[in-house]
Amino acid sequence: MSCFEHQAKTMEPRAPGVIPIALKNGGRVKANDVAPQGVYRPDYNILTPNMRSPEYVQMSTAAAITLGVTNGRMYRTACTRCLNLLLTYPEGCRANCAYCGLARHREAERDYADRNFIRVDWPAVPLDLTIDTVAKDGAASPFHRMCISMITHPRSDEDTRTVLKKWTDRIDPSAIPVSILSNPTTMTREDVKRLKDLGADIFTVALDAATPEIFDRTRGKGVQSPHSWQKYWEILMDARDVFGAQKFGAHIIVGMGETERDVLELVQRLVDLGGHSHMFCFFPEKGSLMDHLPATPREQWRRVQLARYLIDYRDGRVEKMRFDDAGRVIEYGVPRSELEIIIGEGVAFRTSGCPGKFADDLSACDRPYGDSPPSNIASYPFQPNGNDLRTIRKQLKPV
């Protein structure tokens, strides 16, 4: 067995279990039918209300703290620059992605609005309250961008358009641009066009898996999920045509059994198409079908972060990089003196995503600690200081 085959086998998800019929499709929430009363926090220890988009949306804990609808503090950062709005329904997401805390297989364990996602709870907030609060702040808003995150649900496309229109009717999209984190499985090219016409600025597709084989194993037939690599690429190409260069991109999760070369060849493909990659470090999300597996080793993650940054923002080329027999980066294709300057700048190791107001290579979507605990930071949601850079350099040790 090759090194790659061993790694891929090591990262095999558990098989999803059988859900009792009474608990399918949000059965427990709909049977209780508790009316929502303002902001809902999953840690309130009350029955989960019957909440639906577009009236309600969920947002990350960091966004809720920044918006002021919940209390809390974030390690070494005061706020997040992106307001993530996640569509929500009692039925939840009908997909079953193996690494995701929102997956369908959790129906028996936890109601949809109570599930953790990228390591944190997502409070549910009335959309009108959200828009009112941001509109009231005006130019002083801490948010540089808003992102609507779709899920796999029959109403997702229509409700995304409603949320987007309500937002742009009140908030100038040139002041706070809107990104769409799409659900290609339910979408057509016409859906992509409608979102552009309604004022969306950037359209992204969460490929997540770096290869079609890993995609199928973690979010396709391998886990009884409806997604397909071909459909995701079809909508990604539609986004390229409709939104144009630098206005579309794809999410990639590093550490699910692929090689570093696999990831970076995908990054290069996206850049050559005119798009960008948004990188995530695999973390075993509690309650997911992959929660028993190891997080991505930091040395692997740092190498990919650095190489991805070179390709996306410094005219690097994967063809100029060198890889060992296990597909690990051993040379980055730029002079060592230049590489040292880029490492010292620290930007390559910050969270990657849609840009904010500071610079094209500084993401508004900083997702504080979305892919690691603060004790072992993967994606820095702030500018790394000297101590951070010393840690990063140690983690970038040669293979």
Side-chain angles (χ1 to χ4, degrees):
M1 183 184 293
S2 71
C3 177
F4 169 70
E5 289 171 332
H6 174 73
Q7 185 181 19
K9 186 174 179 60
T10 300
M11 298 303 292
E12 189 72 27
R14 289 195 304 272
V18 177
I19 308 297
I21 293 175
L23 300 181
K24 288 186 175 183
N25 297 306
R28 182 166 41 216
V29 171
K30 289 188 284 191
N32 291 328
D33 199 23
V34 175
Q37 301 290 330
V39 176
Y40 172 72
R41 282 174 42 186
D43 57 358
Y44 272 0
N45 296 316
I46 63 173
L47 289 175
T48 309
N50 191 344
M51 300 173 292
R52 291 184 176 276
S53 293
E55 290 77 23
Y56 268 79
V57 288
Q58 290 179 256
M59 62 183 65
S60 67
T61 296
I65 292 171
T66 304
L67 190 67
V69 298
T70 191
N71 296 322
R73 297 178 63 187
M74 291 175 278
Y75 177 68
R76 292 178 63 184
T77 186
C79 66
T80 181
R81 299 293 180 184
C82 185
L83 177 58
N84 324 83
L85 302 184
L86 175 72
L87 297 187
T88 190
Y89 310 92
E91 301 84 12
C93 185
R94 307 319 299 157
N96 215 24
C97 302
Y99 47 84
C100 183
L102 301 178
R104 188 186 73 238
H105 75 86
R106 298 190 73 186
E107 286 182 309
E109 170 202 348
R110 184 171 290 187
D111 298 325
Y112 182 75
D114 297 324
R115 294 176 203 165
N116 47 291
F117 180 45
I118 56 173
R119 299 192 64 251
V120 297
D121 289 335
W122 285 59
V125 183
L127 177 62
D128 289 345
L129 172 63
T130 302
I131 294 174
D132 287 346
T133 304
V134 176
K136 182 174 61 179
D137 288 342
S141 174
F143 297 111
H144 289 191
R145 181 169 289 273
M146 187 271 274
C147 179
I148 305 174
S149 297
M150 303 174 67
I151 64 173
T152 307
H153 187 278
R155 290 195 53 87
S156 186
D157 296 296
E158 180 181 348
D159 291 338
T160 296
R161 292 192 294 272
T162 301
V163 171
L164 177 58
K165 187 173 188 310
K166 281 195 164 196
W167 178 275
T168 55
D169 282 349
R170 294 280 309 282
I171 298 166
D172 185 351
S174 66
I176 302 181
V178 179
S179 295
I180 303 293
L181 177 53
S182 64
N183 178 47
T185 297
T186 64
M187 298 186 79
T188 65
R189 185 184 183 94
E190 189 57 37
D191 291 320
V192 178
K193 289 180 179 177
R194 289 191 189 109
L195 293 171
K196 177 71 164 60
D197 292 342
L198 286 169
D201 174 57
I202 288 178
F203 187 101
T204 62
V205 168
L207 285 174
D208 292 348
T211 70
E213 295 78 17
I214 294 173
F215 187 104
D216 190 64
R217 186 174 77 239
T218 60
R219 54 190 332 215
K221 293 178 181 177
V223 284
Q224 301 165 28
S225 196
H227 301 320
S228 80
W229 178 264
Q230 180 180 352
K231 178 63 175 178
Y232 267 57
W233 272 96
E234 175 191 317
I235 295 299
L236 184 61
M237 293 300 93
D238 289 338
R240 179 194 63 170
D241 296 343
V242 172
F243 279 77
Q246 312 308 314
K247 294 295 184 179
F248 73 98
H251 292 189
I252 308 169
I253 299 176
V254 174
M256 296 205 297
E258 78 293 331
T259 67
E260 294 171 26
R261 184 168 196 156
D262 288 333
V263 175
L264 296 171
E265 287 178 345
L266 176 55
V267 169
Q268 188 69 68
R269 181 180 178 186
L270 291 166
V271 167
D272 291 346
L273 288 168
H276 279 293
S277 58
H278 303 162
M279 206 84 85
F280 296 71
C281 182
F282 172 74
F283 185 87
E285 183 81 29
K286 185 178 180 181
S288 75
L289 296 173
M290 297 178 76
D291 65 2
H292 60 296
L293 298 174
T296 309
R298 283 297 172 267
E299 58 269 23
Q300 176 186 350
W301 173 241
R302 296 294 176 221
R303 289 191 296 267
V304 174
Q305 270 189 309
L306 178 56
R308 171 260 171 192
Y309 182 79
L310 293 171
I311 295 169
D312 258 13
Y313 297 108
R314 298 298 180 98
D315 298 319
R317 299 289 309 180
V318 72
E319 299 90 351
K320 294 182 179 180
M321 299 177 182
R322 288 186 56 230
F323 301 84
D324 66 11
D325 291 343
R328 296 175 295 192
V329 184
I330 54 176
E331 289 185 13
Y332 293 89
V334 299
R336 186 70 206 182
S337 57
E338 181 181 344
L339 193 66
E340 285 298 325
I341 291 171
I342 292 170
I343 293 171
E345 290 171 350
V347 179
F349 311 102
R350 295 183 64 163
T351 311
S352 60
C354 296
K357 297 179 180 180
F358 298 134
D360 286 344
D361 60 353
L362 287 182
S363 172
C365 189
D366 44 22
R367 303 186 299 276
Y369 313 110
D371 57 3
S372 70
S375 59
N376 187 15
I377 298 173
S379 301
Y380 284 84
F382 49 78
Q383 179 61 29
N385 64 22
N387 288 333
D388 299 322
L389 288 171
R390 281 188 282 274
T391 299
I392 288 167
R393 289 180 187 279
K394 290 178 183 177
Q395 293 168 337
L396 272 170
K397 62 186 179 184
V399 173

